[in-house]
Amino acid sequence: MDFEALKKYSALHPKPARLTLQYGTAGFRSKAEQLDHVMFRMGLLAALRSRATGSTIGVMVTASHNPEEDNGVKLVDPLGEMLHPSWEEYATQLANAEEQDLQKTLTEICQKAAVNQQKDASVFIGRDTRPSSKKLSQAVIDGVSVLGGQYHDYGLVTTPQLHYVVCCQNTRGQYGKPTLEGYYQKLSKAFMELIKKSPGSGEGQRHLKIDCANGIGALKLSEMQPYLPKEVLVHIYNDGTKEKLNHLCGADFVKVHQKPPKGLDMKPNERCCSFDGDADRIVYYYTDTAGHFHLIDGDKIATLISIFLKELLAKVGQTLKMAVIQTAYANGSSTRYLEETLQVPVHCVKTGVKHLHHKAQEFDIGVYFEANGHGTVLFSKAAENTIRQLAKDEKDDAKREAAKVLENLIDLINQTVGDAISDMLVIEAILSLKGLTVHQWDAFYTDFPNRLLKVQVADRQVIDTTDAERRAVTPPGLQEKIDALVKKYKFSRAFVRPSGTEDVVRIYAEADTQALHIHSEFILNSHS
Ligand code: 16G
Ligand code: ZN
């Protein structure tokens, strides 16, 4: 390590005094002006992580659905997964080290993580459309370079695109080409193969209105459009040319407020969807003829995909083990439907993509979605091989055809992380193949009315939870009070958890009717 150069460059990215930040659920998030030193240091860390793993590491500069003034950064591990938890701790240490301790902290990390400093380092960098992102990604580049690492700057990309290219690079092309063109080609080819088989194929065009949250999704969807078949017409709204990123639009806004985004004119029964600011989440919705708004969230997306997969698995006659992974926020009605009607096992894990992803890896086919619209499907290597083999060699026509559909689905899904573009194409393909309208999809089950609130408290860490965040163990007495309230209502559920991304406590409650809705504020107020 060239400590003189490190000192010189670090001085160009000084850490504001007394500022401490934590590598949280989605990496570092803060006001953009507080993040320059964090970016530089994450460049350093990515180079070390690359040396430790002997692989390319990704660094994505984005704050997803948060306001335009915010920014953030997260590291992507070799197979496109989230950074390993032990390194999250190093990230926090490095970001918070005072200037004079930087060298010492780096040396310590190298020792603890057994980093061979002679090895090459390679880092892929991407960023969203925030005005601050370009400069911040330059700080990442400075960090990688000062440690002698190689980098490739992909510039403007969606978060899932960066995960994808990292995975392609480290699997030596097995997952695809590590370029955006490779991504568009792989997805569009699989999509076209799939919809060729739909009953209505050739009978006119499918229309979909997409609110791109004034973010990167708009740019990348337009780039992809020439690759998509003429039968599918995506209409891009909130493309970022007029309004601010995530302002009154995007998947998070629509999910939280349960109302349409600004800037998208909806006609009754038209299929619409929203991406979030970095295009890793998607929710669908429509208004009915009476003007009522209907949200189709991550739970219903997981359900649609699960139904489709289950039917295909029955057709190919394979007993592959499939499960759905949810979090505490999943609507109780979706869990009941999946378990009781569809007979698919459901597992609940802690909030945050890494927890869902990890659990989903335990199954032949793991479908995971957060209610907020972040999700994907994972196929084990063995399951994928079986399916590809059947698609090629199976003698029985019906079985072989079903295996081919599964094979195309595998290629269309971004298995590295939830991906709004990929999920949208999966959903459109399934709706088209099954001949379902948005209304029919929505009617699979009816969501229990629910409410999600956030409350600021003096110290959110006094709340500790267990059972995938569904029960509070501290402060004493809190859970008993929640239980006492919940007991009074049918199919009711409520929980509180400290947020992993904001200084707030989140409160969720649901019950079978709106009238019986629990006043969740009361639960917390009685404890504050
Ligand atoms: C982050 C997570 C998201 C989770 C949300 C919860 C990733 C990539 N993103 O955005 O999955 O739903 O945090 O935030 O893991 P909260 O802890 O503030 O409720
Ligand atoms: Zn996002």
Side-chain angles (χ1 to χ4, degrees):
M1 239 185 263
D2 179 349
F3 290 123
E4 274 316 304
L6 176 67
K7 216 165 136 189
K8 194 175 123 217
Y9 272 87
S10 183
L12 299 175
H13 304 283
K15 173 183 171 303
R18 290 182 303 280
L19 177 70
T20 58
L21 295 166
Q22 223 196 340
Y23 197 98
T25 325
F28 291 102
R29 292 263 169 98
S30 191
K31 290 277 159 253
E33 64 264 19
Q34 295 189 320
L35 287 171
D36 188 63
H37 70 295
V38 176
M39 298 291 167
F40 172 71
R41 292 163 185 214
M42 286 310 102
L44 301 174
L45 194 76
L48 297 188
R49 180 74 180 144
S50 172
R51 291 196 166 113
T53 56
S55 305
T56 294
I57 295 298
V59 180
M60 183 70 197
V61 176
T62 179
S64 184
H65 59 281
N66 293 119
E68 187 168 278
E69 298 72 31
D70 291 10
N71 219 322
V73 57
K74 65 181 167 195
L75 267 62
V76 177
D77 253 1
L79 296 178
E81 330 90 297
M82 301 291 169
L83 180 66
H84 193 275
S86 60
W87 280 70
E88 288 186 2
E89 218 172 288
Y90 302 149
T92 303
Q93 284 161 11
L94 196 58
N96 295 325
E98 294 306 332
E99 214 59 48
Q100 67 274 15
D101 299 329
L102 190 60
Q103 181 182 328
K104 190 173 109 232
T105 311
L106 272 177
T107 313
E108 272 171 19
I109 295 172
C110 286
Q111 278 164 0
K112 277 193 238 160
V115 177
N116 178 347
Q117 300 194 42
Q118 308 310 317
K119 277 197 166 171
D120 291 339
S122 152
V123 178
F124 284 180
I125 299 160
R127 63 170 197 271
D128 71 11
T129 55
R130 288 180 159 73
S132 59
S133 292
K134 179 127 203 253
K135 187 166 171 286
L136 290 175
S137 72
Q138 193 55 49
V140 176
I141 291 174
D142 280 358
V144 177
S145 307
V146 80
L147 289 190
Q150 300 290 315
Y151 69 89
H152 181 96
D153 182 7
Y154 281 86
L156 294 164
V157 286
T158 69
T159 296
Q161 284 177 331
L162 187 76
H163 285 254
Y164 172 88
V165 290
V166 168
C167 178
C168 292
Q169 178 72 8
N170 290 316
T171 53
R172 302 190 197 300
Q174 258 186 51
Y175 196 62
K177 283 201 213 102
T179 60
L180 290 195
E181 200 193 0
Y183 171 92
Y184 298 134
Q185 279 170 344
K186 181 178 175 185
L187 267 62
S188 59
K189 179 167 177 283
F191 180 67
M192 279 195 254
E193 289 295 322
L194 275 173
I195 59 161
K196 255 198 328 215
K197 304 205 171 91
S198 58
S201 141
E203 292 170 15
Q205 294 176 314
R206 293 179 66 78
H207 292 266
L208 175 66
K209 290 185 170 177
I210 309 182
D211 150 35
C212 289
N214 291 313
I216 186 72
L219 272 178
K220 299 297 134 176
L221 254 186
S222 335
E223 262 176 41
M224 188 170 191
Q225 244 163 352
Y227 296 84
L228 291 174
K230 292 183 300 299
E231 295 90 326
V232 179
L233 268 190
V234 293
H235 304 276
I236 297 174
Y237 292 81
N238 295 331
D239 64 358
T241 53
K242 292 189 233 28
E243 297 269 357
K244 263 176 119 172
L245 178 68
N246 296 327
H247 182 60
L248 305 177
C249 63
D252 197 66
F253 173 86
V254 173
K255 168 74 182 160
V256 171
H257 299 277
Q258 313 215 358
K259 65 178 188 199
K262 196 179 161 208
L264 187 144
D265 69 290
M266 288 169 78
K267 304 213 171 61
N269 292 322
E270 257 178 0
R271 221 168 46 258
C272 304
C273 66
S274 284
F275 291 5
D276 75 338
D278 61 341
D280 62 354
R281 291 192 198 173
I282 183 168
V283 293
Y284 270 68
Y285 44 89
Y286 68 100
T287 44
D288 60 25
T289 39
H292 293 134
F293 177 76
H294 296 258
L295 175 69
I296 304 183
D297 65 2
D299 302 337
K300 229 164 226 169
I301 296 174
T303 306
L304 177 74
I305 296 176
S306 303
I307 291 175
F308 190 63
L309 283 171
K310 216 181 154 196
E311 285 169 3
L312 286 170
L313 290 177
K315 281 189 197 154
V316 295
Q318 291 289 316
T319 47
L320 294 173
K321 225 168 122 201
M322 177 172 131
V324 175
I325 323 298
Q326 300 186 317
T327 71
Y329 291 110
N331 196 280
S333 191
S334 75
T335 315
R336 286 169 65 90
Y337 181 86
L338 285 162
E339 285 180 332
E340 290 167 23
T341 310
L342 213 57
Q343 306 264 308
V344 173
V346 177
H347 298 265
C348 184
V349 298
K350 277 170 39 177
T351 304
V353 172
K354 64 180 174 206
H355 302 295
L356 291 114
H357 194 91
H358 193 70
K359 186 73 189 173
Q361 284 173 325
E362 289 177 17
F363 305 92
D364 294 322
I365 302 178
V367 180
Y368 75 78
F369 266 89
E370 289 192 300
N372 64 26
H374 186 117
T376 186
V377 185
L378 303 187
F379 293 83
S380 71
K381 208 71 227 137
E384 186 175 329
N385 290 342
T386 308
I387 290 164
R388 292 203 195 272
Q389 196 70 40
L390 287 168
K392 208 162 85 195
D393 299 335
E394 171 61 46
K395 298 278 178 297
D396 181 308
D397 288 351
K399 282 188 183 173
R400 194 181 57 251
E401 283 312 305
K404 277 191 189 165
V405 175
L406 276 169
E407 188 179 35
N408 286 319
L409 211 53
I410 292 174
D411 290 335
L412 182 54
I413 287 167
N414 186 344
Q415 293 193 54
T416 64
V417 78
D419 181 335
I421 294 181
S422 153
D423 288 340
M424 179 267 285
L425 293 172
V426 169
I427 293 162
E428 290 303 306
I430 297 177
L431 293 178
S432 165
L433 282 164
K434 290 182 68 68
L436 284 173
T437 65
V438 69
H439 174 74
Q440 288 166 324
W441 173 20
D442 187 37
F444 285 162
Y445 62 82
T446 307
D447 275 327
F448 290 145
N450 59 89
R451 189 76 80 233
L452 175 59
L453 304 172
K454 59 178 172 183
V455 175
Q456 206 129 28
V457 296
D459 178 10
R460 72 190 199 278
Q461 303 305 350
V462 299
I463 298 180
D464 195 10
T465 63
T466 181
D467 191 20
E469 302 176 314
R470 288 173 294 187
R471 297 189 65 77
V473 282
T474 61
L478 174 60
Q479 189 58 48
E480 288 70 16
K481 289 217 167 162
I482 298 175
D483 289 343
L485 280 170
V486 163
K487 211 167 59 191
K488 296 186 195 158
Y489 307 103
K490 198 168 163 205
F491 296 136
S492 65
R493 219 161 54 80
F495 63 87
V496 297
R497 58 173 281 276
S499 156
T501 62
E502 279 182 86
D503 188 15
V504 294
V505 169
R506 300 205 196 280
I507 307 172
Y508 179 88
E510 69 181 31
D512 70 340
T513 63
Q514 183 89 46
L516 294 178
H517 212 272
I518 299 163
H519 292 285
S520 21
E521 286 130 304
F522 166 75
I523 301 170
L524 209 81
N525 287 341
S526 65
H527 263 270
S528 54

